[in-house]
Amino acid sequence: MLAVAVLYLVAVASIWLALPILGDRWWPGTLFLFGPRRIVALPLLVIVPAALLVQRRAVLPAALASAIVAGPILGFTFSLRALTGGADSHDLRVASFNTGSRAMDIDRLKGFVAETRPDVIAMQECSASEPELNAAFPGWSVHVDTGMCLVSRHPLLKAESRDRRDVWDQGGHGAILRYEIALPDAPRPSSEEPPGMRAFSLLNLHLETPREAIEALIHGLWKQAAEHDRVIALRAWESELARQWVDQAPYPVVIAGDFNMPVDSAIYRRFWAGFENAFSRAGLGFGATKRTRWFGVRIDHVLAGPGWTTERAWIGPDLGSDHLPIVADLRWSGTPREGRAER
């Protein structure tokens, strides 16, 4: 029993170490990255009881393996900030929500906003029109641009959209928008700004899905590896475009949206690991934002740029989409021109 427990520990540790390297780079890694990872935990149903009842020396490797499976592989996050963070301990509350490309239930969204009280909501695959959102949130700033919506209780100073023809010409479907939003208590980028003006930059992203790559592998495993590589290259290129827009932001930056990748994706680690992931920093639980019939995965994120610190992050309720909203409380704790996040 001890040998079995040790071999299992070695196996799950190898998966843990290999996933950030191979996921989104080699097709088996991609299938595992977006698949039902809980299958890896099935041997524990036998190993743990056997270790407790048959050979106590196997308890330690079984416990270590359980911790690796629950944490790094399945993505369970534990943070004292999530337990101790106060409801009002923040300067900015950001919500991100992929509405699921179906007709939006405005009443459910209004109820979520009334209960959660976000300062800004970035939405992807948003089917609502600007007049609908203006009617639902009178006095708020609203911006709608081809499936991407922003609702902010603070004034919207500027909105820019990355030319999607560049993405569409490559076969992609991604969207990259950058907003400049006034916020009385946020920092200003330079002394040239008008007295009293404070603002931050918000990136609203909806990056390319890996669905086509995964479906190609399922329907023709060996023959479709080239299609997988094409889609993965497109996803990396889109992230590079989005990262360029982040680096050019004039104000302290917050990034929100449907990244279509978990935090252990090789693409995520290349372009986004230098930012503070709100749920990884101050969340509690597995944090799945995208749900299928059998499992969930955390592919929607709020990222805090230099100077911001996450106080609390949580997953919101079901609002009628196949995604759940993610909410993050951020506090400004640095100077406006701190260094950019590492790439």
Coordinates of all heavy atoms in Angstrom, one line a residue, residues 212-253:
E212 N -12.7 25.1 -30.5 CA -12.4 24.5 -31.8 C -11.2 23.5 -31.7 O -11.2 22.5 -32.4 CB -12.2 25.6 -32.8 CG -13.4 26.4 -33.1 CD -13.2 27.4 -34.2 OE1 -12.0 27.4 -34.7 OE2 -14.1 28.2 -34.5
A213 N -10.2 23.9 -30.9 CA -9.0 23.0 -30.8 C -9.4 21.7 -30.1 O -9.0 20.7 -30.5 CB -7.9 23.8 -30.0
I214 N -10.2 21.8 -29.1 CA -10.6 20.6 -28.3 C -11.5 19.7 -29.1 O -11.4 18.5 -29.2 CB -11.3 21.0 -27.0 CG1 -10.2 21.7 -26.1 CG2 -11.8 19.8 -26.3 CD1 -10.8 22.4 -24.9
E215 N -12.5 20.4 -29.8 CA -13.4 19.6 -30.7 C -12.6 18.9 -31.8 O -13.0 17.7 -32.2 CB -14.5 20.5 -31.2 CG -15.5 20.9 -30.2 CD -16.5 21.9 -30.7 OE1 -16.3 22.3 -31.9 OE2 -17.5 22.2 -30.0
A216 N -11.7 19.6 -32.4 CA -10.9 18.9 -33.4 C -10.1 17.7 -32.9 O -10.1 16.7 -33.6 CB -9.9 19.9 -34.0
L217 N -9.6 17.8 -31.7 CA -8.9 16.6 -31.1 C -9.8 15.5 -30.8 O -9.5 14.3 -31.1 CB -8.2 17.1 -29.9 CG -7.0 18.0 -30.0 CD1 -6.5 18.5 -28.7 CD2 -5.9 17.4 -30.8
I218 N -11.0 15.8 -30.3 CA -12.0 14.8 -30.0 C -12.4 14.0 -31.2 O -12.6 12.8 -31.2 CB -13.2 15.4 -29.2 CG1 -12.7 15.9 -27.9 CG2 -14.3 14.4 -29.1 CD1 -13.8 16.6 -27.1
H219 N -12.6 14.7 -32.3 CA -13.2 14.1 -33.5 C -12.1 13.5 -34.4 O -12.5 12.7 -35.3 CB -14.0 15.2 -34.3 CG -15.2 15.6 -33.7 ND1 -15.4 16.9 -33.2 CD2 -16.4 14.9 -33.3 CE1 -16.6 17.0 -32.6 NE2 -17.2 15.8 -32.7
G220 N -10.9 13.8 -34.2 CA -9.8 13.2 -35.0 C -8.5 13.4 -34.3 O -7.7 14.2 -34.8
L221 N -8.3 12.6 -33.3 CA -7.2 12.9 -32.3 C -5.9 13.2 -33.0 O -5.3 14.3 -32.8 CB -7.1 11.8 -31.4 CG -6.3 12.0 -30.1 CD1 -6.9 13.2 -29.3 CD2 -6.2 10.8 -29.3
W222 N -5.3 12.3 -33.8 CA -4.0 12.5 -34.3 C -4.0 13.4 -35.5 O -3.1 14.2 -35.6 CB -3.4 11.1 -34.7 CG -3.2 10.2 -33.5 CD1 -4.0 9.2 -33.1 CD2 -2.2 10.3 -32.5 NE1 -3.5 8.6 -31.9 CE2 -2.4 9.3 -31.5 CE3 -1.1 11.2 -32.3 CZ2 -1.6 9.1 -30.4 CZ3 -0.3 11.0 -31.2 CH2 -0.5 10.0 -30.3
K223 N -5.0 13.3 -36.4 CA -5.0 14.1 -37.6 C -5.2 15.5 -37.3 O -4.8 16.4 -38.1 CB -6.0 13.5 -38.6 CG -5.7 12.1 -39.1 CD -6.8 11.7 -40.0 CE -6.5 10.3 -40.5 NZ -7.6 9.8 -41.5
Q224 N -5.9 15.9 -36.2 CA -6.3 17.3 -36.0 C -5.3 18.0 -35.0 O -5.6 19.1 -34.6 CB -7.7 17.3 -35.4 CG -8.7 16.7 -36.3 CD -8.7 17.4 -37.7 OE1 -8.6 18.6 -37.8 NE2 -9.0 16.7 -38.8
A225 N -4.2 17.4 -34.8 CA -3.2 18.1 -33.9 C -2.8 19.4 -34.5 O -2.5 20.4 -33.8 CB -2.0 17.2 -33.6
A226 N -2.7 19.5 -35.8 CA -2.3 20.8 -36.5 C -3.4 21.9 -36.3 O -3.0 23.0 -36.1 CB -2.1 20.5 -38.0
E227 N -4.6 21.5 -36.3 CA -5.7 22.5 -36.0 C -5.6 23.0 -34.6 O -5.8 24.1 -34.3 CB -7.1 21.8 -36.3 CG -8.3 22.7 -35.9 CD -8.4 24.0 -36.7 OE1 -7.7 24.1 -37.7 OE2 -9.2 24.8 -36.3
H228 N -5.3 22.1 -33.7 CA -5.1 22.4 -32.3 C -4.0 23.5 -32.2 O -4.1 24.5 -31.5 CB -4.7 21.2 -31.4 CG -4.1 21.5 -30.1 ND1 -2.7 21.7 -29.9 CD2 -4.7 21.8 -28.9 CE1 -2.5 22.0 -28.7 NE2 -3.6 22.0 -28.0
D229 N -2.9 23.2 -32.8 CA -1.7 24.2 -32.8 C -2.1 25.5 -33.4 O -1.6 26.6 -32.9 CB -0.5 23.6 -33.5 CG 0.0 22.3 -32.8 OD1 -0.3 22.1 -31.6 OD2 0.8 21.6 -33.4
R230 N -2.9 25.5 -34.4 CA -3.3 26.8 -35.1 C -4.2 27.6 -34.1 O -3.9 28.8 -33.9 CB -4.1 26.5 -36.3 CG -4.6 27.8 -37.1 CD -5.6 27.5 -38.1 NE -6.9 27.2 -37.5 CZ -7.8 28.1 -37.0 NH1 -7.5 29.4 -37.0 NH2 -8.9 27.8 -36.5
V231 N -5.1 27.0 -33.4 CA -6.0 27.7 -32.5 C -5.2 28.2 -31.3 O -5.4 29.3 -30.8 CB -7.2 26.8 -32.1 CG1 -8.0 27.5 -31.0 CG2 -8.0 26.5 -33.2
I232 N -4.3 27.4 -30.8 CA -3.5 27.8 -29.6 C -2.6 29.0 -30.0 O -2.4 29.9 -29.2 CB -2.7 26.6 -29.1 CG1 -3.6 25.5 -28.6 CG2 -1.7 27.1 -28.0 CD1 -4.6 25.9 -27.6
A233 N -2.0 29.0 -31.2 CA -1.2 30.1 -31.6 C -2.1 31.4 -31.7 O -1.6 32.5 -31.4 CB -0.6 29.8 -33.0
L234 N -3.3 31.2 -32.2 CA -4.2 32.4 -32.3 C -4.5 32.9 -30.9 O -4.6 34.1 -30.7 CB -5.5 32.0 -33.0 CG -6.6 33.0 -33.1 CD1 -6.2 34.3 -33.8 CD2 -7.9 32.4 -33.7
R235 N -4.7 32.0 -29.9 CA -5.0 32.4 -28.6 C -3.8 33.2 -28.0 O -4.0 34.2 -27.3 CB -5.4 31.2 -27.7 CG -6.8 30.7 -28.0 CD -7.0 29.3 -27.5 NE -6.5 29.0 -26.1 CZ -7.2 29.4 -25.0 NH1 -8.3 30.1 -25.1 NH2 -6.7 29.1 -23.8
A236 N -2.6 32.7 -28.2 CA -1.4 33.4 -27.7 C -1.3 34.8 -28.4 O -1.0 35.8 -27.7 CB -0.2 32.5 -28.0
W237 N -1.6 34.9 -29.7 CA -1.5 36.1 -30.4 C -2.5 37.1 -29.8 O -2.1 38.3 -29.7 CB -1.7 35.9 -31.9 CG -1.6 37.1 -32.7 CD1 -0.5 37.8 -33.0 CD2 -2.7 37.7 -33.4 NE1 -0.8 38.9 -33.9 CE2 -2.2 38.8 -34.1 CE3 -4.1 37.4 -33.5 CZ2 -3.0 39.7 -34.9 CZ3 -4.9 38.3 -34.2 CH2 -4.3 39.4 -34.9
E238 N -3.7 36.7 -29.6 CA -4.7 37.6 -29.0 C -4.3 38.1 -27.6 O -4.5 39.3 -27.3 CB -6.1 36.9 -28.9 CG -6.9 36.9 -30.2 CD -8.3 36.5 -29.9 OE1 -8.7 36.3 -28.8 OE2 -9.0 36.3 -30.9
S239 N -3.7 37.2 -26.8 CA -3.3 37.6 -25.5 C -2.2 38.7 -25.6 O -2.1 39.6 -24.8 CB -2.8 36.4 -24.7 OG -3.9 35.8 -24.0
E240 N -1.3 38.5 -26.6 CA -0.2 39.5 -26.8 C -0.8 40.8 -27.2 O -0.3 41.9 -26.7 CB 0.7 39.0 -27.9 CG 2.0 39.8 -28.0 CD 3.0 39.2 -29.0 OE1 2.7 38.3 -29.7 OE2 4.2 39.7 -28.9
L241 N -1.8 40.8 -28.1 CA -2.4 42.1 -28.5 C -3.1 42.8 -27.2 O -2.9 44.0 -27.0 CB -3.5 41.9 -29.5 CG -3.1 41.5 -30.9 CD1 -4.4 41.4 -31.8 CD2 -2.3 42.6 -31.5
A242 N -3.8 42.0 -26.4 CA -4.4 42.5 -25.2 C -3.4 43.0 -24.3 O -3.6 44.1 -23.7 CB -5.3 41.4 -24.6
R243 N -2.3 42.3 -24.1 CA -1.3 42.8 -23.2 C -0.6 44.1 -23.6 O -0.3 44.9 -22.8 CB -0.2 41.7 -23.0 CG 0.9 42.0 -22.0 CD 0.3 42.3 -20.7 NE 1.3 43.0 -19.9 CZ 2.2 42.4 -19.0 NH1 2.1 41.0 -18.9 NH2 3.0 43.0 -18.3
Q244 N -0.5 44.3 -24.9 CA 0.0 45.5 -25.4 C -0.9 46.7 -25.0 O -0.4 47.7 -24.6 CB 0.2 45.5 -27.0 CG 1.3 44.6 -27.4 CD 1.3 44.4 -28.9 OE1 0.5 45.0 -29.7 NE2 2.2 43.6 -29.4
W245 N -2.2 46.5 -25.1 CA -3.1 47.5 -24.7 C -3.1 47.8 -23.2 O -3.3 48.9 -22.8 CB -4.5 47.1 -25.2 CG -4.8 47.7 -26.5 CD1 -4.0 47.6 -27.7 CD2 -6.0 48.5 -26.9 NE1 -4.6 48.3 -28.7 CE2 -5.8 48.8 -28.3 CE3 -7.1 48.8 -26.3 CZ2 -6.8 49.5 -29.0 CZ3 -8.1 49.6 -26.9 CH2 -7.9 49.9 -28.3
V246 N -2.8 46.7 -22.5 CA -2.7 46.9 -21.0 C -1.5 47.8 -20.7 O -1.5 48.7 -20.0 CB -2.6 45.5 -20.3 CG1 -2.2 45.7 -18.9 CG2 -3.9 44.8 -20.4
D247 N -0.4 47.4 -21.4 CA 0.9 48.1 -21.1 C 0.8 49.6 -21.6 O 1.6 50.4 -21.1 CB 2.1 47.4 -21.8 CG 2.4 46.1 -21.1 OD1 2.0 45.9 -20.0 OD2 3.0 45.3 -21.8
Q248 N 0.0 49.9 -22.5 CA -0.2 51.3 -23.0 C -1.2 52.1 -22.2 O -1.5 53.3 -22.5 CB -0.5 51.3 -24.5 CG 0.6 50.7 -25.4 CD 0.1 50.3 -26.8 OE1 -1.1 50.6 -27.1 NE2 0.9 49.7 -27.6
A249 N -1.9 51.5 -21.2 CA -2.9 52.2 -20.5 C -2.4 53.4 -19.8 O -1.3 53.3 -19.1 CB -3.6 51.2 -19.5
P250 N -3.1 54.5 -19.8 CA -2.6 55.8 -19.2 C -2.7 55.9 -17.7 O -2.1 56.7 -17.1 CB -3.4 56.8 -20.0 CG -4.7 56.2 -20.3 CD -4.3 54.7 -20.6
Y251 N -3.6 55.0 -17.2 CA -3.9 55.1 -15.7 C -3.6 53.7 -15.1 O -3.4 52.7 -15.7 CB -5.4 55.4 -15.5 CG -5.8 56.8 -16.0 CD1 -6.3 57.0 -17.3 CD2 -5.6 57.9 -15.2 CE1 -6.7 58.2 -17.8 CE2 -6.0 59.2 -15.7 CZ -6.5 59.3 -17.0 OH -6.9 60.6 -17.4
P252 N -3.6 53.7 -13.8 CA -3.5 52.4 -13.1 C -4.5 51.4 -13.6 O -5.7 51.8 -13.7 CB -3.7 52.8 -11.6 CG -3.3 54.2 -11.5 CD -3.7 54.8 -12.8
V253 N -4.1 50.2 -13.9 CA -4.9 49.3 -14.7 C -5.6 48.2 -13.9 O -5.0 47.7 -12.9 CB -4.1 48.7 -15.8 CG1 -3.0 47.8 -15.3 CG2 -5.0 48.1 -16.9

